[in-house]
Amino acid sequence: MLSLVELILVGLVLTNLVLLGTSRIGLCIRMVAFQGVGLALLPLLGLEALSPEPLVISGATALLKGWIFPLLLFRSLESAHVRAEVEPYVGYSNSLLFGVAALAVSVWLGGRVPVPGPGVPSLLTPVAFFTILVGLFVIVTRRKAVSQVVGYLVLENGIFAFGAVALRKAQLLVEMGILLDVFVAVFVMGIAIFRINREFDHIDADRLASLKE
Amino acid sequence: MSAAVDMNMLGGALLRMAAGLTLCPLLFGVINRVKALFAGRRGQPLLQTYYDLAKLLRKGAVYSGATSWAFGLGPAAGLACCLCALALAPLGGQPGLFSFEGDLFLFAGLYSLGRFLTATAALDTGSSFEGMGASREMQFAVPAELALILGFVALAQATGDYSLAGILGRLDLARWQACGPVLALTAAALFLVLLAETCRIPVDDPNTHLELTMVHEVMVLDHSGPDLAFIVYGQALKMWTLGAVLAGLVIPARGGEASSMLLGAVWGVAGIFGLAVVIGIVESSMARLRLLLVPRLLVGATALSGLALILLLR
């Protein structure tokens, strides 16, 4: 079981690196969806006996992150006629190098944070930190509103990864709270992207900053 | 007793090296056959590279009046580097002719030296076009080398040994079960390095003769006759050697006795030809990357080996 959890965590790291290195928004959205489905499996793997609560969490997570979010994002891409490129401020190779450095930093950090309980793989904390860092990096360095939403989802995936294995009590409450929160956020951001595009013919967040009354 | 065993080992190593020397041009034939199969053609004969080499060796070389001794040195010394690397490379879990602590770095260094000599020979012609090819090759070499070294360090860390033969000798099924993700990441990184080092498709197209897309082909444009044969043969040897290392990593078929020694060698050779088939499939199923994307791919390979190392060190 533990090795399966580790496999998912390594997959999380790899998808993060793809997110940093690819130029296609569609691929980014798919990668986040993969992450979501992989993460949805995590709470199930730590169990001894099957009980309804984790099943509900996993099902809801897989449904939301693997199906509804990509659907919403692809729809807003379509309705806003966005070009398929990410258009970053920091180049792809440099982003990848940042990824490696961030991984090293999060491993160092993860070594200093005590593991939150027995049966938790030691890889979990570094990977969660790394995912959060990558999410922040994507939000900061990508020009388009859609990629920033993707960054937000990655960030949230990092938090979820931590919660999925570490939290044992009141899991349903916390996870459902986070999920609904994210759902509303993505929903609102999708609408906002559409509106922004209709007003200004682009969703370039950089150029919005120079708006004057 | 021990002298007899040593002689046995030496004989085995020489045999394995001879197999590499004779079989390596066949790799190109296998790759071409696979590509022909995908394209629905009959394809050139399997032994075409041997014919080409024989033809080139019978011809004389033409040297431009603008070149110096560095131009003539490039191909010969480049081939020498590839031969040394072959002598270091284990096949099927059995050590190569030479093996010592830290020969990983010599292995990687030999390829750097070979590349340096080829690039110098290209620059020596004084053609700006060849200079462009050399510049591209060196630009790709930086991340590829980093990926190779980091991958080797990760393997050394995973097995606790610092010689190629020791590392590949200690990789068995148990090791794969213990740290499978790490080894898989390293293998993926090494595969990308192999594609870059042997100038295969996502990085460089060996068949292209369009001025703007050539990388390695540009650098060897001015070489002719035996010099060109050395370069082609060196490329084949490089593919064989790197393939042997990668096959040793991926196929954990091991054993110490004489019978399993043969079995290991057979598995190793089978692995190398399997790799050639995979390269053929890759070449038929994708176009080469835009020039700007190649460094990104190789930085990705570096990230993979770096990730493997970090996973081990945590």
Side-chain angles (χ1 to χ4, degrees):
Chain A
M1 277 310 177
L2 208 58
S3 71
L4 209 54
V5 172
E6 291 211 327
L7 205 65
I8 291 179
L9 291 176
V10 170
L12 202 58
V13 174
L14 285 181
T15 44
N16 280 335
L17 290 177
V18 173
L19 273 167
L20 289 175
T22 182
S23 61
R24 299 276 138 181
I25 289 187
L27 187 60
C28 285
I29 295 176
R30 261 177 227 123
M31 282 298 130
V32 176
F34 271 130
Q35 285 190 349
V37 174
L39 284 178
L41 291 176
L42 274 187
L44 289 182
L45 293 176
L47 292 178
E48 288 85 31
L50 223 52
S51 55
E53 252 187 43
L55 266 179
V56 170
I57 294 178
S58 291
T61 314
L63 189 70
L64 264 182
K65 294 191 170 175
W67 191 58
I68 295 183
F69 287 171
L71 200 74
L72 282 175
L73 285 174
F74 274 120
R75 186 169 290 172
S76 64
L77 268 187
E78 228 169 78
S79 62
H81 303 295
V82 186
R83 278 202 303 140
E85 268 118 46
V86 171
E87 299 180 21
Y89 294 115
V90 180
Y92 302 108
S93 298
N94 286 346
S95 298
L96 271 176
L97 288 179
F98 164 83
V100 176
L103 189 59
V105 168
S106 22
V107 167
W108 177 74
L109 263 178
R112 318 194 122 225
V113 177
V115 178
V120 177
S122 60
L123 201 56
L124 176 73
T125 346
V127 171
F129 270 133
F130 175 58
T131 313
I132 293 171
L133 280 178
V134 168
L136 280 176
F137 185 79
V138 169
I139 293 178
V140 172
T141 60
R142 301 304 193 241
R143 201 183 290 262
K144 287 217 175 101
V146 177
S147 351
Q148 290 171 356
V149 178
V150 167
Y152 172 70
L153 284 177
V154 174
L155 175 71
E156 200 280 326
N157 277 345
I159 299 170
F160 186 91
F162 199 75
V165 184
L167 277 182
R168 285 278 177 262
K169 304 227 166 70
Q171 208 178 19
L172 186 65
L173 207 63
V174 176
E175 299 292 1
M176 287 322 267
I178 295 178
L179 269 181
L180 289 177
D181 209 24
V182 177
F183 176 61
V184 172
V186 172
F187 200 67
V188 170
M189 281 192 255
I191 295 171
I193 288 170
F194 180 64
R195 299 272 171 207
I196 294 170
N197 186 60
R198 215 170 53 180
E199 284 305 311
F200 301 104
D201 293 331
H202 62 80
I203 54 165
D204 195 332
D206 183 41
R207 276 154 70 191
L208 288 183
S210 61
L211 279 182
K212 296 265 158 46
E213 269 299 314
Chain B
M1 176 65 194
S2 78
V5 171
D6 278 353
M7 283 310 289
N8 243 338
M9 292 291 286
L10 187 67
L14 279 174
L15 268 180
R16 282 190 291 276
M17 203 169 153
L21 287 174
T22 47
L23 286 177
C24 68
L26 193 58
L27 290 175
F28 289 155
V30 170
I31 293 177
N32 277 325
R33 219 3 107 75
V34 172
K35 284 169 84 171
L37 207 68
F38 267 78
R41 291 180 282 118
R42 270 238 316 281
Q44 46 180 270
L46 271 176
L47 301 179
Q48 185 61 43
T49 318
Y50 292 98
Y51 302 145
D52 287 349
L53 288 173
K55 178 190 73 184
L56 287 171
L57 283 174
R58 270 185 289 139
K59 289 186 173 183
V62 180
Y63 292 103
S64 142
T67 57
S68 68
W69 54 268
F71 181 72
L73 180 71
L79 180 60
C81 289
C82 291
L83 285 172
C84 292
L86 177 67
L88 286 176
L91 178 66
Q94 308 296 325
L97 204 51
F98 301 104
S99 172
F100 50 89
E101 286 277 295
D103 60 0
L104 317 159
F105 296 104
L106 179 62
F107 187 79
L110 279 169
Y111 285 130
S112 305
L113 182 61
R115 189 163 31 235
F116 164 76
L117 289 165
T118 318
T120 328
L123 289 174
D124 191 48
T125 59
S127 138
S128 53
F129 187 41
E130 295 214 6
M132 182 197 75
S135 132
R136 284 177 181 172
E137 174 103 355
M138 296 320 272
Q139 188 201 355
F140 297 164
V142 172
E145 224 173 274
L146 199 57
L148 183 65
I149 296 271
L150 276 179
F152 277 162
V153 172
L155 286 181
Q157 181 73 25
T159 53
D161 203 301
Y162 289 89
S163 70
L164 267 180
I167 287 174
L168 294 183
R170 285 191 192 192
L171 283 174
D172 46 12
L173 271 180
R175 190 81 63 179
W176 264 93
Q177 273 161 3
C179 44
V182 171
L183 294 178
L185 286 174
T186 322
L190 284 186
F191 181 64
L192 291 178
V193 169
L194 181 139
L195 289 180
E197 284 278 355
T198 54
C199 314
R200 303 314 294 195
I201 253 183
V203 175
D204 186 7
D205 187 353
N207 292 328
T208 184
H209 279 89
L210 271 175
E211 288 176 358
L212 290 176
T213 57
M214 292 194 282
V215 180
H216 180 77
E217 302 301 312
V218 179
M219 292 203 302
V220 303
L221 264 186
D222 275 65
H223 293 289
S224 55
D227 283 351
L228 188 57
F230 287 173
I231 288 172
V232 172
Y233 190 60
Q235 283 296 104
L237 270 183
K238 208 183 215 183
M239 182 175 284
W240 177 275
T241 314
L242 285 170
V245 172
L246 191 53
L249 170 59
V250 176
I251 305 174
R254 300 283 169 266
E257 289 88 42
S259 59
S260 59
M261 218 161 109
L262 186 67
L263 190 71
V266 168
W267 269 113
V269 173
I272 295 171
F273 280 104
L275 197 66
V277 172
V278 172
I279 293 176
I281 293 173
V282 168
E283 296 216 338
S284 347
S285 55
M286 69 186 293
R288 58 165 292 174
L289 291 174
R290 264 189 301 148
L291 215 54
L292 289 174
L293 293 184
V294 173
R296 206 196 298 174
L297 177 80
L298 294 174
V299 170
T302 311
L304 288 182
S305 346
L307 175 60
L309 187 59
I310 287 171
L311 285 180
L312 281 170
L313 289 181
R314 80 196 144 85

